[in-house]
Amino acid sequence: METMKVAVLDLYNNVPNEGMRCILQLIRNISEKEQLELTHTVFDVRGKNEIPGLDYDIYISSGGPGSPLPSDEPWEEPYFELIDQLFSHNRTSNQKKYLFLICHSFQLVSRHLGIGTISKRRSTSFGIFPIHKTDEGQTDPLFQKLPDPFFAVDSRDYQLTEPNWERISELDAKVLCLEKIRPHVDYERAIMAVRFTDEVFGTQFHPEADGEGMLRYFMKDEKKQQIVENHGEEKYNEMVESLLDPQKIGLTESVLIPDFLRQTI
C-alpha cells in the first residue's frame, strides 16, 4: 500500500467547529476506499504557531473565524512563507506538493498572491447556497461531476472580489466559480473557487461539510438557538431541509476533496 503524508493546517484558532472533523473524516474515507495509506498530522497554526515543513505530500488548510486582512499575528508570516515554498517547490521539482485551501485560508492566500480584493461583506453570508461555474469551471476536472449550479455551505464575513486579471494571468490561475446570482442587489458576485496551479486549488465555500454530521450539530439546542437568533428561524429551517437533500452538500462533499486527494495518487 502506497503511503502519502497529509499536513492539515488548522486555522480555527481553538474555536469549536465542524470543519476539522469533516476534513479528517474525508482523509480517512479516501484512505480506505483507495487502499492508500494517508497518514495525517494536524498543525495548530493560529493557536500554537505550528507550521509544517516541506516533508508532506498533501496540505489541506482549513477555514476559520476572524479577519483575513493583514495582521501582526505571529503565525501569519511563517504561514505565507510555507505557501511561497510550496509554489517554489512545484516550479522546480517533478515530485509535486498539493495544497487545498478552504474559506479563510483561500482568502488569506488570495490576498497574499494579489489576485483580487479581500473586503468585509455588508452582511454575513450564512447558509447553503447555489455556486455557479464559470466557463473555465465547466471544464475543470474537480467540478465535472457536479451540476451547474451545485450547492455548498457558505459561512463568511469577508469576500474575494474585483479580480486582478493581470496577476491571475501571470500566475496562470483560473477563476472557476462565482457566488449565487443576486439580481435584486447591485453588488459584484464574489469569486468562490480558484485553481491557482495544477497542484493548488481553493474554495471560498466549505466543500468538506457533510450533511449528516452538520445536521446533528445544528439540532443541538445551543446551536439552533444561535442560528435562529442571528439569522432567523426561516433560515434555520431552510438549512436543515438542505442538509437532508443528498443532491446538495452531500454531493459536493463526496466529490471535491475526495477527487483532489485522488489526483495526488
Side-chain angles (χ1 to χ4, degrees):
M1 181 182 291
E2 185 178 0
T3 300
M4 299 187 78
K5 295 170 61 180
V6 184
V8 182
L9 282 64
D10 177 357
L11 271 72
Y12 279 100
N13 203 21
N14 297 317
V15 173
N17 67 90
E18 286 290 287
M20 289 299 295
R21 177 191 63 79
C22 292
I23 290 168
L24 298 180
Q25 185 61 52
L26 284 168
I27 292 171
R28 289 190 287 266
N29 289 347
I30 290 302
S31 182
E32 292 175 9
K33 288 179 181 178
E34 302 297 332
Q35 294 295 296
L36 179 69
E37 189 174 346
L38 289 174
T39 63
H40 67 267
T41 304
V42 175
F43 294 85
D44 185 353
V45 175
R46 294 170 70 182
K48 297 179 180 177
N49 197 21
E50 295 177 345
I51 303 290
L54 288 181
D55 50 336
Y56 289 82
D57 304 293
I58 304 163
Y59 298 75
I60 299 177
S61 193
S62 78
S67 169
L69 298 176
S71 76
D72 57 2
E73 294 183 26
W75 60 269
E76 191 166 299
E77 184 176 346
Y79 177 80
F80 288 136
E81 286 177 359
L82 170 65
I83 299 302
D84 290 340
Q85 288 168 0
L86 290 172
F87 276 90
S88 177
H89 170 90
N90 286 339
R91 284 193 294 269
T92 59
S93 174
N94 292 327
Q95 191 68 35
K96 305 300 184 184
K97 308 282 185 180
Y98 293 86
L99 170 63
F100 198 112
L101 301 156
I102 299 171
C103 197
H104 192 81
S105 298
F106 170 84
Q107 293 168 345
L108 286 167
V109 172
S110 295
R111 168 172 68 81
H112 179 64
L113 296 176
I115 69 166
T117 300
I118 299 292
S119 61
K120 199 171 192 330
R121 290 175 53 87
R122 291 177 67 91
S123 62
T124 299
S125 179
F126 180 77
I128 297 171
F129 297 120
I131 308 291
H132 296 262
K133 302 179 193 179
T134 64
D135 289 344
E136 289 182 314
Q138 296 284 355
T139 59
D140 189 89
L142 290 189
F143 285 118
Q144 288 181 353
K145 295 179 184 176
L146 294 176
D148 187 21
F150 60 93
F151 287 81
V153 170
D154 192 18
S155 177
R156 58 193 166 87
D157 291 312
Y158 291 82
Q159 62 183 352
L160 171 65
T161 56
E162 300 176 349
N164 181 343
W165 292 112
E166 183 177 348
R167 178 62 172 151
I168 290 169
S169 177
E170 179 185 338
L171 293 167
D172 198 25
K174 306 286 189 302
V175 173
L176 303 179
C177 295
L178 300 176
E179 70 178 326
K180 65 180 181 178
I181 298 171
R182 299 176 295 169
H184 57 289
V185 295
D186 189 26
Y187 300 139
E188 183 176 358
R189 293 163 68 197
I191 296 170
M192 297 303 287
V194 171
R195 181 171 289 283
F196 296 92
T197 68
D198 288 344
E199 301 82 23
V200 180
F201 184 88
T203 67
Q204 196 160 217
F205 55 88
H206 286 270
E208 78 280 15
D210 72 310
E212 182 180 345
M214 290 199 68
L215 185 60
R216 286 197 305 269
Y217 183 56
F218 282 2
M219 296 295 280
K220 294 179 180 179
D221 290 342
E222 181 181 351
K223 188 62 180 177
K224 178 178 180 179
Q225 182 180 352
Q226 179 187 353
I227 294 172
V228 170
E229 287 178 355
N230 292 331
H231 304 282
E233 189 161 359
E234 183 179 352
K235 171 63 72 175
Y236 176 81
N237 292 333
E238 175 190 304
M239 289 195 71
V240 168
E241 182 179 348
S242 293
L243 288 169
L244 291 168
D245 187 342
Q247 294 305 307
K248 290 193 173 178
I249 72 164
L251 179 60
T252 303
E253 181 242 353
S254 72
V255 169
L256 284 184
I257 293 180
D259 280 6
F260 174 81
L261 292 172
R262 289 186 182 101
Q263 81 171 14
T264 69
I265 300 171

